[in-house]
Amino acid sequence: MPRILVLNGPNLGRLGSREPDVYGDQDLPALERLLNAEKDAATEIEVRQTDDEAELIRWIHAAVDSATPVILNPAAFTHYSYALRDAAAMLATAGVPLVEVHISNPHAREQFRHTSVISGVATGVIAGFGFDSYVLALAAIERRSR
Ligand code: DQA
């Protein structure tokens, strides 16, 4: 059964109460329910969140080793974590899809959010569609594996 990891970085465990005007009022369990409702029957998804850069990097290493496609919302790590980028580059080298997603459109926000150190090693980037950014990423990965 094709498996897809949905990895979320710092502060995304606070979805629902964190800046609802930017990120909406739905929490991470609601995202998981949405993705489970939208996925192909054969796809298995696993949604995880961490505030810890090292843990996120370990999850990416495991995805490289198991050739598991990743939907990644790196949150604030997007803008400065070269360590996360280097881990993500290993997915690219291994030919494993990585879709970078954002709930908001970082390009329409503060200047520091306009830079992503991850995008250059991602298969693609989807931003600005709320939780639908993840749904679109899921569809993109599923279509590539058909
Ligand atoms: C975010 C955008 C980032 O700039 C921010 O640090 C986040 C969430 C998004 O999903 O819109 O934590 O990745």
Side-chain angles (χ1 to χ4, degrees), residues 115-126:
T115 297
S116 169
V117 300
I118 307 297
S119 297
V121 293
T123 310
V125 183
I126 302 171

Side-chain angles (χ1 to χ4, degrees), residues 53-71:
E53 188 181 22
E55 185 167 39
L56 195 50
I57 289 168
R58 279 194 294 273
W59 289 345
I60 302 272
H61 290 171
V64 172
D65 292 344
S66 59
T68 304
V70 175
I71 296 170

Side-chain angles (χ1 to χ4, degrees), residues 10 12 18 23 73-76 78-79 101-104 106 109 113:
L12 293 172
R18 173 192 179 202
Y23 299 113
N73 186 341
T78 306
H79 312 303
V101 298
H102 300 282
I103 297 165
S104 67
R109 301 179 62 196
R113 298 186 201 276

Side-chain angles (χ1 to χ4, degrees), residues 10-49:
N11 301 305
L12 293 172
R14 293 288 175 143
L15 285 175
S17 60
R18 173 192 179 202
E19 300 181 71
D21 48 319
V22 177
Y23 299 113
D25 56 10
Q26 302 266 75
D27 60 11
L28 217 50
L31 173 67
E32 188 163 7
R33 285 194 296 276
L34 174 67
L35 293 176
N36 273 306
E38 296 291 334
K39 70 179 180 60
D40 286 348
T43 304
E44 189 184 304
I45 59 154
E46 195 177 330
V47 178
R48 298 184 195 163
Q49 188 274 330

